[in-house]
Structures are given as structure tokens and as C-alpha cells.
């Protein structure tokens, strides 16, 4: 009963999204059901009143013949109208529900903050919004027909029993047998569909990850390993679905054979009833016709019930996304500074969920407005996490973070570009003119190479900017931030792929064109660090010291050693992209 209640709740929730369309589909199914019984009555009347009298002396009158033809045609037209109505509105219900679910899932993804998305698998999210939504609606289309079939069963049962109690009892006794078969099938197939849907989500995530890392896979010759990994995961989907299909095949074989065998028995028994005078030939013909018409609708009930476990498995995965509470938006925890401060941290720290040691220990920091602050430290020092805290990407575990009022933009070390045009990648939804786009590109020293592209601003950069070099992608990502004229600009080692001359030109542009913008940047190039008004030296999540580059070089041995290591690394031959 718990499974039946779950399925009933599942159908009720989906139908509740577009109830009028579903009601119209069910109305069409009811029309079809009622006039299916009427067609059997029409067959009975035509045989007894038109066909048989035609073989007797005197034949049949023209008016009776016309009435018989009109009856058959009229019933058929109304039945066809019910079919068209049911199919049309059932299809509209199915895809309107899919549209609504997809919109809600996508909206939920958008409303979740970046900290939530970092914990998720991209492939699983894509599966929830796509495959799982389509799976959820798979049972909707046959449900109106199944509802009409339920009505058809009750009305036809009354008709069959009224026509002949003996034959009717035999025919109606088959219905519980078919229902029991359906219940047994649902109980056994449910787990297989759950396993298949879960395996499909995992497979989708693995495929997405493999495609994302295609260059790495090719470079390290890991193609065979990836093929084997994906094949293993695909085999889990195959095995679960094969087991489900095997059960469905067995179930449908019984569903097909039982009514057919019953029909043979009804013909034999009905012949004896006609011979004894308890039935007319027209009544037996209408009876057999009615029972034959019931076979396909009964299969639709089976089909609808067989789809429920599959659809419910997908819907539960969709509901898991919709019902998951929204993570607090880290940006809501960011306060506003007063006076001439651009950034203020009061005991701010961050510890990743499940970890005991903080990545950034409680820190106090004051950044004056209009200045350039560089964050310097070895790998794993907490520099990027510090930028994420200031930018509202991560919420502070303890303490508070305040920034200057106005737009805050962040440019990450890994520059992400959409597959559209250069203009779209710079504007990203903003209503800006081409002149503003070119201005931002000029500040980022990107206007030169963009003008050389085949279509200028309209050039499609390919998925993730695959047609551009690393340095070009970084500069377009920087222009994306600059076109918003931010009050606070955060750069997470954004210029690492640029040559020294281009990097210095970019920073000089930022100082002159955006003189009122405060800049906090993660830096590793000594020449860049030297341009900063203040340098924060971080190690193991702590701000060990801060001040001018020259003073830190003189007073802090660990800082001097790190910067000299940077110098040595930069002096080594390298093929950096510009």
C-alpha cells in the first residue's frame, strides 16, 4: 500500500501542474470508453436487425439499412473524436509538465549559490534537468487512456453481465487475474528501475567529466582506461534495464495470452448458448467484439502501471533537487564598509565542510579604497580561498567580511568562456554598447587580437573558448569584469598566462582607467607584486605579514625566499601563451 500511495502522490503532483489539460485528456478517454461499449451494442443491433434479416425472405428495408450504417458511422466518428482529444491533450499535458519541471529545476540550480555547486557533480545536475525530467513524464501520456479504460471495464462488465450472466461471469473473472499480474510486476520491477536511473546519473557525470578532460586523457594516453571505466558504468545501466525488460516481456506475454485463450473459450461457450436459445447471434457477436476490444485497453493499463516505477524513480531524483533547501547565499553575509575602506575582515576564517582545520585562519584586514593589494604565498597558502571570501563566493565560517558599496567582480584563474561570440562573453547579459565592449577590451589589452579575429566581436570562440589561447581567454574574462566598472576588482592569478609586458600594460590600464576601483589580486610574478600598494604574505592559511614589497623582501626571510623562487621559475624557459 505504501508503494500505491507513493505512485498516487506522484501522479497527483505531476497532474497538479497542468490539471485542465489533463482533465481534457481524461474526458476524451471517457468519451472513447463509453462509445466503445456503444459500438458493441451497435454491432449487436446491426447483426440482428440488418445482417441476419438480409438473408431471410423479404430482406431488410432501406430505412433500416440506412439507420444501421448511420449508427455504425456515428459511433465510430464519436470514438475517433475521443481518441484525438485524448491523444492531443495527453501529449500537451506531458510536455507542458516537462517544461515546468525543467524550468523549476533550472531555476533551483540558479538560485543555489556557487558554494553549493562546488559540491555537486556537473553530470548529475545535467541528468536531473534532462534525463530525469523526461523519465518523470513517461507515465503521463498513457494515464488518461488508463483512466478511460477503468471506466470501460466497469461499464463493459455491466454490459457483459446484462447480455449473458454465464458468459459475463467468465469474462469479468479475468479482470482480477490481470490486476494481480500487474501488482506482481510492479513489485518486482521497481528496484531495477531505481538502480538503472541511479546508474544513468552516475554514467552521465562520468561522461561529462571525461569530455571535459579530453585533452588530458589524450595527452596521457588514458583513452583505454576511460573507455574501460565508462564501459563498466554503462554495463550497470544495461544489466538493470535488461532485467527490467525481461520482467516486462514476461508480463506482457501473460497479458497477451490470457485474454486470447479466454476469447477462444467464450466463443465455444457462446456457441452453445446460442444453440440453446439463451443468446442471439447478434448478442454473441457484440459480446465477443466487446471482449476483443478490451484486450488492448487492458494492455494500456499494464503499460501505464509498468511505466510508473520508472517514472517515479526519475521524479524522486528531480524532487530531491526541488526539495533540497537553498544554501545561504554567501553574498548575503557580506557587509558594506564605511569611509575610505574597500575591504574589511574581522576575524574572518573559512573551513571546508567535513574538515577540522581551517583553510583560512581568523584574519583581520583593512584595504584602503582605490589601492592595489597583492596576495602572495606558496601553493596551498589559502590565497584563492581568501579571494573567494572577499568576493562572496564562500561564506566565512567565523568573523565578518565587508566590502565597499558598488559592484564587486571576480576573475578566476581558470578563465571560463561560453561558446558564443566575443561580445556575448564580455557582456554576459548586460545591455552594453559595442563602444563599451571595445573600451573594456582595450583596458584588458584584448582589443588588438579581437580586431584580428575573422568576425571581430561576432567571432564565436568555441566551447570554453577552445579557439583562443590561455592568455586571450584571460583577457576576455578580465574585460567581462571591467565592462561593469566595478568598485572592487578581485583577480585570482588572472594574468598568469600573459607575458610580462602585456601583464604590466594591463595593470597600468587598470590604474589609469579605473583609478577609483580597488584591486585585490593573487600574484606570483615579482614585477607585478612590486606594483602593489600593499602585499599580504600568506602561509598555511594565515596572513603572516603585509606591507610594501621592498620592506617584506628586506624584513621577512620566508617571503624573500618565495619571491626569489618565483624569479627563478620565471627565468626558466617556458612556453607561456599570450
Amino acid at each position: 500500500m505504501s508503494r500505491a500511495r507513493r505512485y498516487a502522490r506522484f501522479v497527483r503532483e505531476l497532474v497538479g501542474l497542468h490539471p485542465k489539460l489533463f482533465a481534457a485528456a481524461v474526458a476524451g478517454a471517457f468519451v472513447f470508453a463509453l462509445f466503445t461499449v456503444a459500438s458493441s451494442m451497435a454491432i449487436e443491433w446491426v447483426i440482428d436487425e440488418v445482417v441476419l434479416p438480409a438473408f431471410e425472405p423479404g430482406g431488410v428495408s432501406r430505412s433500416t439499412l440506412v439507420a444501421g450504417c448511420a449508427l455504425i458511422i456515428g459511433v465510430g466518428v464519436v470514438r475517433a473524436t475521443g481518441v484525438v482529444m485524448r491523444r492531443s491533450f495527453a501529449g500537451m499535458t506531458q510536455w507542458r509538465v516537462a517544461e515546468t519541471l525543467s524550468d523549476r529545476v533550472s531555476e533551483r540550480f540558479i538560485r543555489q549559490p556557487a558554494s553549493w555547486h562546488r559540491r555537486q557533480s556537473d553530470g548529475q545536475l545535467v541528468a536531473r534537468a534532462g534525463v530525469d525530467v523526461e523519465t518523470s513524464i513517461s507515465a503521463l501520456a498513457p494515464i488518461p487512456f488508463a483512466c478511460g479504460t477503468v471506466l470501460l471495464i466497469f461499464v463493459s462488465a455491466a454490459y457483459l453481465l446484462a447480455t449473458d450472466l454465464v458468459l459475463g461471469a467468465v469474462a469479468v473473472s479475468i479482470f482480477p487475474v490481470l490486476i494481480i499480474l500487474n501488482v506482481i510486476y510492479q513489485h518486482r520491477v521497481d528496484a531495477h528501475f531505481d538502480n538503472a536511473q541511479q546508474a544513468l546519473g552516475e554514467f552521465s557525470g562520468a561522461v561529462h567529466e571525461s569530455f571535459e578532460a579530453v585533452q588530458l586523457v589524450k595527452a596521457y594516453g588514458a583513452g583505454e582506461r576511460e573507455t574501460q571505466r565508462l564501459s563498466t558504468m554503462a554495463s550497470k545501466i544495461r544489466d538493470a534495464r535488461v532485467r527490467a525488460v525481461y520482467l516486462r516481456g514476461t508480463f506482457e506475454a501473460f497479458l497477451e495470452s490470457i485474454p486470447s485463450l479466454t476469447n477462444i473459450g467464450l466463443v465455444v461457450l457462446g456457441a452453445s448458448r446460442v444453440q440453446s436459445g439463451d443468446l442471439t447471434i447478434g448478442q454473441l457477436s457484440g459480446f465477443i467484439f466487446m471482449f476483443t476490444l478490451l484486450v488492448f485497453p487492458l494492455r494500456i493499463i499494464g503499460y501505464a502501471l509498468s511505466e510508473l516505477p520508472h517514472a517515479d524513480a526519475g521524479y524522486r531524483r528531480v524532487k530531491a533537487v526541488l526539495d533540497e533547501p537553498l544554501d545561504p547565499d554567501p553574498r548575503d553575509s557580506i557587509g558594506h564598509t564605511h569611509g575610505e575602506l574597500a575591504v574589511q575582515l574581522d576575524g574572518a576564517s573559512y573551513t571546508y565542510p567535513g574538515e577540522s582545520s581551517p583553510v583560512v585562519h581568523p584574519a583581520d584586514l583593512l584595504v584602503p579604497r582605490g589601492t592595489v593589494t597583492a596576495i602572495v604565498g606558496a601553493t596551498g597558502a589559502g590565497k584563492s580561498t581568501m579571494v573567494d571570501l572577499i568576493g562572496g563566493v564562500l561564506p566565512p565560517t567565523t568573523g565578518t567580511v565587508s566590502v565597499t558599496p558598488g559592484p564587486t567582480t571576480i576573475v578566476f584563474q581558470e578563465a571560463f568562456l561560453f561558446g558564443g561570440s566575443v561580445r556575448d562573453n564580455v557582456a554576459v547579459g548586460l545591455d552594453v554598447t559595442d563602444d563599451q565592449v571595445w573600451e573594456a577590451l582595450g583596458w584588458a589589452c584584448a582589443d588588438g587580437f579581437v580586431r584580428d579575429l575573422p568576425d571581430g566581436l561576432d567571432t564565436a570562440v568555441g566551447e570554453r573558448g577552445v579557439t583562443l589561447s590561455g592568455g586571450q581567454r584571460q583577457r576576455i574574462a578580465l574585460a567581462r569584469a571591467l565592462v561593469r566598472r566595478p568598485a572592487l576588482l578581485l583577480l585570482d592569478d588572472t594574468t598568469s598566462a600573459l607575458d610580462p609586458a602585456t601583464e604590466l600594460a594591463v595593470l597600468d590600464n587598470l590604474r589609469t582607467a579605473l583609478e577609483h576601483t580597488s584591486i585585490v589580486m593573487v600574484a606570483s610574478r615579482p614585477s607585478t607584486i612590486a606594483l602593489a600598494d600593499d602585499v599580504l604574505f600568506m602561509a598555511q592559511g594565515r596572513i603572516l605579514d603585509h606591507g610594501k614589497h621592498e620592506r617584506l623582501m628586506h624584513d621577512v626571510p620566508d617571503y624573500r625566499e618565495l619571491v626569489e623562487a618565483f624569479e627563478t621559475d620565471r627565468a626558466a624557459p617556458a612556453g607561456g601563451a599570450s
Side-chain angles (χ1 to χ4, degrees):
M1 289 301 293
S2 61
R3 183 180 287 106
R5 285 194 296 268
R6 190 178 77 211
Y7 291 159
R9 183 173 61 252
F10 156 65
V11 174
R12 186 171 62 250
E13 290 180 4
L14 288 191
V15 169
L17 297 176
H18 295 281
K20 293 181 179 178
L21 292 175
F22 183 79
V26 172
F30 282 0
V31 169
F32 172 80
L34 294 174
F35 277 81
T36 295
V37 178
S39 67
S40 181
M41 295 177 177
I43 291 292
E44 175 186 332
W45 187 88
V46 167
I47 289 177
D48 284 340
E49 302 298 329
V50 178
V51 176
L52 293 180
F55 293 97
E56 297 175 355
V60 62
S61 66
R62 184 181 298 273
S63 61
T64 303
L65 179 62
V66 171
C69 293
L71 182 61
I72 294 295
I73 293 173
V75 171
V77 168
V78 176
R79 281 186 71 208
T81 301
V83 171
V84 171
M85 185 176 176
R86 170 182 56 78
R87 288 184 175 180
S88 299
F89 283 99
M92 284 190 282
T93 301
Q94 186 178 26
W95 295 110
R96 289 282 181 85
V97 169
E99 179 185 25
T100 300
L101 287 179
S102 295
D103 288 346
R104 290 186 178 181
V105 170
S106 299
E107 180 185 4
R108 198 68 173 181
F109 290 164
I110 292 171
R111 293 180 63 189
Q112 290 284 13
S115 55
W116 180 86
H117 283 275
R118 289 187 173 188
R119 302 196 304 269
Q120 310 302 319
S121 160
D122 291 342
Q124 287 280 7
L125 297 185
V126 171
R128 299 293 172 91
V131 176
D132 289 332
V133 167
E134 290 189 12
T135 301
S136 300
I137 64 167
S138 62
L140 275 183
I143 285 178
F145 197 177
C147 292
T149 302
V150 172
L151 175 64
L152 176 61
I153 288 174
F154 283 103
V155 176
S156 62
Y159 165 73
L160 295 175
L161 290 170
T163 301
D164 187 86
L165 190 61
V166 176
L167 282 180
V170 173
V172 171
S173 66
I174 299 301
F175 298 160
V177 175
L178 298 178
I179 292 173
I180 291 172
L181 281 176
N182 278 311
V183 171
I184 294 173
Y185 168 73
Q186 290 174 57
H187 180 73
R188 296 190 61 182
V189 82
D190 205 352
H192 298 313
F193 278 128
D194 276 346
N195 294 338
Q197 204 64 22
Q198 179 63 31
L200 182 60
E202 294 173 358
F203 179 71
S204 178
V207 170
H208 181 84
E209 180 184 55
S210 186
F211 285 166
E212 287 285 304
V214 63
Q215 291 181 335
L216 181 65
V217 172
K218 293 289 186 181
Y220 283 86
E224 185 175 346
R225 170 191 170 278
E226 281 298 290
T227 300
Q228 182 62 39
R229 183 171 75 101
L230 295 177
S231 296
T232 301
M233 300 181 76
S235 66
K236 293 181 180 179
I237 304 174
R238 179 202 61 206
D239 293 344
R241 288 189 169 178
V242 164
R243 286 191 290 268
V245 169
Y246 173 78
L247 285 174
R248 174 178 285 186
T250 304
F251 164 74
E252 290 187 349
F254 279 109
L255 194 64
E256 181 72 31
S257 60
I258 291 176
S260 299
L261 294 174
T262 304
N263 225 347
I264 295 173
L266 290 175
V267 171
V268 173
L269 181 59
S272 65
R273 300 289 288 174
V274 170
Q275 189 174 14
S276 65
D278 295 310
L279 279 177
T280 67
I281 294 177
Q283 287 176 321
L284 176 59
S285 300
F287 193 101
I288 298 299
F289 179 72
M290 182 72 259
F291 190 81
T292 303
L293 288 180
L294 279 174
V295 173
F296 180 71
L298 283 174
R299 292 190 66 183
I300 290 299
I301 288 183
Y303 175 72
L305 292 176
S306 69
E307 282 295 318
L308 280 176
H310 189 202
D312 181 61
Y315 184 63
R316 277 185 278 122
R317 286 167 57 83
V318 172
K319 282 284 288 181
V321 173
L322 298 179
D323 293 341
E324 184 175 357
L326 290 173
D327 278 10
D329 192 335
R331 292 174 297 181
D332 294 337
S333 65
I334 300 292
H336 284 158
T337 59
H338 302 284
E340 294 302 315
L341 287 178
V343 177
Q344 181 175 357
L345 271 60
D346 291 322
S349 70
Y350 183 75
T351 303
Y352 281 103
E355 299 291 333
S356 57
S357 178
V359 180
V360 173
H361 291 266
D364 297 315
L365 176 65
L366 300 176
V367 176
R369 188 174 298 174
T371 61
V372 176
T373 302
I375 304 177
V376 178
T379 301
K383 307 183 296 297
S384 294
T385 305
M386 177 69 77
V387 170
D388 288 345
L389 282 175
I390 297 173
V393 177
L394 296 174
T397 304
T398 63
T400 61
V401 177
S402 302
V403 301
T404 185
T408 296
T409 58
I410 182 169
V411 186
F412 299 98
Q413 182 177 14
E414 185 64 32
F416 181 91
L417 297 186
F418 298 98
S421 66
V422 173
R423 179 189 292 104
D424 293 338
N425 272 285
V426 174
V428 189
L430 283 183
D431 185 14
V432 294
T433 66
D434 283 1
D435 289 340
Q436 290 173 301
V437 172
W438 281 117
E439 184 180 45
L441 289 170
W443 293 336
C445 292
D447 55 336
F449 78 81
V450 172
R451 292 186 193 277
D452 293 335
L453 294 175
D455 297 313
L457 293 180
D458 294 317
T459 302
V461 300
E463 187 177 1
R464 291 183 173 268
V466 68
T467 62
L468 304 177
S469 70
Q472 290 171 334
R473 290 196 296 270
Q474 282 190 338
R475 280 179 280 173
I476 289 180
L478 180 58
R480 176 194 299 159
L482 299 180
V483 78
R484 288 158 171 75
R485 293 181 175 272
L488 176 62
L489 175 63
L490 304 173
L491 307 177
D492 187 3
D493 210 7
T494 303
T495 58
S496 60
L498 303 182
D499 61 82
T502 304
E503 183 182 36
L504 291 176
V506 168
L507 295 176
D508 186 60
N509 288 343
L510 298 183
R511 277 187 174 276
T512 55
L514 301 176
E515 57 181 336
H516 299 297
T517 296
S518 307
I519 301 174
V520 177
M521 61 180 183
V522 175
S524 59
R525 186 171 279 147
S527 57
T528 304
I529 299 170
L531 296 176
D533 300 304
D534 191 27
V535 178
L536 305 181
F537 176 44
M538 292 191 66
Q540 297 181 344
R542 291 181 172 84
I543 300 176
L544 299 185
D545 205 342
H546 73 95
K548 283 287 189 179
H549 170 65
E550 293 78 6
R551 204 269 301 169
L552 294 177
M553 287 290 289
H554 184 271
D555 295 341
V556 183
D558 289 343
Y559 176 82
R560 181 172 60 252
E561 182 180 347
L562 178 64
V563 172
E564 287 174 350
F566 286 156
E567 288 276 16
T568 303
D569 181 61
R570 294 289 179 179
S578 60

